[in-house]
Amino acid sequence: MNVLKVPARTIAVFILPALLLYVCIVFIPIGVSFYTGTLDWDGINTAKHVGFDNWHRMLFDDPYFWPAVRHTLMYAVFSMTEIPICLLMAILLVRFIRKPNRIVSIYFTPVILSVVIIGQLWSTIYSPESMGGMLNSVLDSLGLDSWKHGWLTEKNIAMYSIYIVSLWQYFGYHLLIQFTGVQNIPSEIYEAAKIDGADGFKADRYITLPMIVPILKISLILAFIGSLQSFDLVMVMTQGGPAHATDVISTHMYNSSFLSQQYGYGSAIASFLVVLCLVFTIIINTIMDRVERRYS
């Protein structure tokens, strides 16, 4: 069988435009952000080069930075908890439901809704009873008065309330990914395993899980890194309040850059977020590659 050999120059001609575009819209802005992070600049007047002063302030002097990092990491961890649930539900849908695509489509509906709509909807649900808050009204009707809270106004509860909304919003997204992965496993493999005595969840342990590891890696990276970059839902629901209790890295960066007009400091926070995303992407890839090699 003859294999067509494409010259390296021809490959470069086709790759170069996309590579240049990617560099212009990804790497150059990141580089500019790192450079701006070394400036004392309000966005209008002449910038002053201060080296790593913004990084020192961010890491050691800003009382709201590390709480924002903690909220962001907790956000990312919470987002990963729904992936095993989505995988289990995908397996059950493929195995027991005749037309599972419709159910998956229903669960996917929140994903296509605007974040503003979702934020306003859940803000109304979390509102006090006097403002038509459904959650507290339901708890009151069930006689669970002690469970009633100011879900978005109490410092110890507000961030968890947002986590729940995020899990609800993206459950269908990860369900679709897992469902597609499980559905694409050839049925012949399960039939052969059934002959050897591996059926039901035993087959899932030795067949489904090993074969779906690459899909799980995609879901984990999307969930974790996407949560590290969370911004819109928090801004719509709480704007980082009450008293910075729901601040995440992105909202803290926004407030520093555009409300306090400290663009150099905001760029340093943005640079930190880029590094954090890169580090955790490498960690997740490394762990999942080891898991994949173990099952291969």
Side-chain angles (χ1 to χ4, degrees), residues 25-56:
I25 64 176
V26 176
F27 286 104
I28 291 179
I30 290 175
V32 171
S33 179
F34 272 93
Y35 171 73
T36 309
T38 64
L39 304 177
D40 180 10
W41 185 41
D42 61 3
I44 300 175
N45 298 311
T46 303
K48 177 184 177 182
H49 192 273
V50 293
F52 290 99
D53 286 359
N54 286 326
W55 282 79
H56 185 278

Side-chain angles (χ1 to χ4, degrees), residues 74-215:
M74 289 177 61
Y75 202 136
V77 171
F78 266 85
S79 70
M80 296 172 67
T81 59
E82 66 182 343
I83 294 178
I85 302 174
C86 291
L87 177 58
L88 176 61
M89 188 169 180
I91 293 173
L92 295 176
L93 287 173
V94 172
R95 181 171 297 165
F96 298 111
I97 304 300
R98 180 171 297 178
K99 295 182 179 180
N101 293 340
R102 297 179 181 178
I103 298 178
V104 175
S105 299
I106 293 173
Y107 277 101
F108 193 78
T109 302
V111 181
I112 62 178
L113 293 177
S114 167
V115 177
V116 176
I117 294 175
I118 291 175
Q120 292 295 336
L121 170 66
W122 279 90
S123 294
T124 303
I125 293 174
Y126 283 142
S127 296
E129 291 177 82
S130 59
M131 300 177 62
M134 186 181 73
L135 180 55
N136 281 338
S137 298
V138 170
L139 293 174
D140 185 47
S141 63
L142 295 175
L144 301 174
D145 292 353
S146 61
W147 291 19
K148 292 162 57 176
H149 292 281
W151 301 99
L152 297 179
T153 56
E154 295 183 22
K155 294 178 62 175
N156 296 330
I157 297 177
M159 198 71 230
Y160 294 99
S161 301
I162 296 177
Y163 295 154
I164 296 299
V165 178
S166 181
L167 292 176
W168 174 82
Q169 180 184 4
Y170 289 105
F171 183 86
Y173 180 76
H174 295 289
L175 175 62
L176 177 62
I177 295 176
Q178 307 305 322
F179 173 75
T180 304
V182 174
Q183 196 176 42
N184 286 338
I185 298 176
S187 59
E188 292 82 3
I189 299 178
Y190 291 105
E191 294 171 1
K194 189 174 183 179
I195 296 174
D196 294 332
D199 194 13
F201 287 105
K202 189 175 182 181
D204 292 324
R205 177 183 176 184
Y206 293 104
I207 297 174
T208 306
L209 287 178
M211 297 191 69
I212 206 173
V213 167
I215 305 299

